[in-house]
Amino acid sequence: MREIEPHVSGVECLFVPQTGIVDYTAVSEKMKDQLNALGVEIHFNEKVIGISRTESASHVQTNAATYSATLVVSCAGLHADRLPA
Ligand SMILES: Cc1cc2nc3c(=O)[nH]c(=O)nc-3n(C[C@H](O)[C@H](O)[C@H](O)COP(=O)(O)OP(=O)(O)OC[C@H]3O[C@@H](n4cnc5c(N)ncnc54)[C@H](O)[C@@H]3O)c2cc1C
């Protein structure tokens, strides 16, 4: 274990050679560029404060704007259950 990670402590470990450490900021930037190229808009620093639904669409209200879509996927992590539906 310590040959690979000198600061780890434990009894035994599994070594999975296919794993790695990535620069996730760089991964995110690349994903953003590719999505932007497909016409996707990404809005940063907006807090979702409400989600409502009408017959034709769902409406996501943030502190800055309201966005309407036929499908909304909420990815708020551990806070997903706190997002008003
Ligand atoms: C200390 C720590 C170490 C970890 N290490 C690993 C690891 O080594 N490997 C691994 O696979 N997993 C690891 N995990 C777990 C991993 O981080 C989570 O499983 C993963 O981040 C979940 O992704 P997610 O997109 O569902 O949620 P998140 O990454 O939590 O993203 C949710 C996002 O929604 C945003 N959000 C919440 N509410 C609102 C709102 N009202 N309006 C707008 N935005 C909102 C939050 O700000 C956040 O940016 C670790 C977790 C922790 C806490």
Side-chain angles (χ1 to χ4, degrees), residues 45-50 61-63 74-80 82-84:
N45 300 316
E46 289 184 38
K47 182 173 183 174
V48 175
I49 53 178
Q61 188 188 348
T62 76
N63 56 322
S74 168
C75 306
L78 287 178
H79 301 283
R82 293 188 193 169
L83 282 187

Side-chain angles (χ1 to χ4, degrees), residues 28-39:
S28 304
E29 289 287 343
K30 190 69 188 170
M31 280 169 47
K32 179 171 76 69
D33 291 345
Q34 291 182 345
L35 288 167
N36 285 159
L38 291 169

Side-chain angles (χ1 to χ4, degrees), residues 10-77:
V11 180
E12 286 184 78
C13 71
L14 286 174
F15 176 53
V16 183
Q18 293 85 356
T19 61
I21 297 172
V22 296
D23 175 351
Y24 208 75
T25 303
V27 172
S28 304
E29 289 287 343
K30 190 69 188 170
M31 280 169 47
K32 179 171 76 69
D33 291 345
Q34 291 182 345
L35 288 167
N36 285 159
L38 291 169
V40 173
E41 287 177 28
I42 300 177
H43 300 269
F44 292 104
N45 300 316
E46 289 184 38
K47 182 173 183 174
V48 175
I49 53 178
I51 302 175
S52 60
R53 192 165 166 74
T54 56
E55 224 170 79
S56 56
S58 290
H59 310 279
V60 178
Q61 188 188 348
T62 76
N63 56 322
T66 300
Y67 305 97
S68 298
T70 48
L71 180 68
V72 172
V73 179
S74 168
C75 306

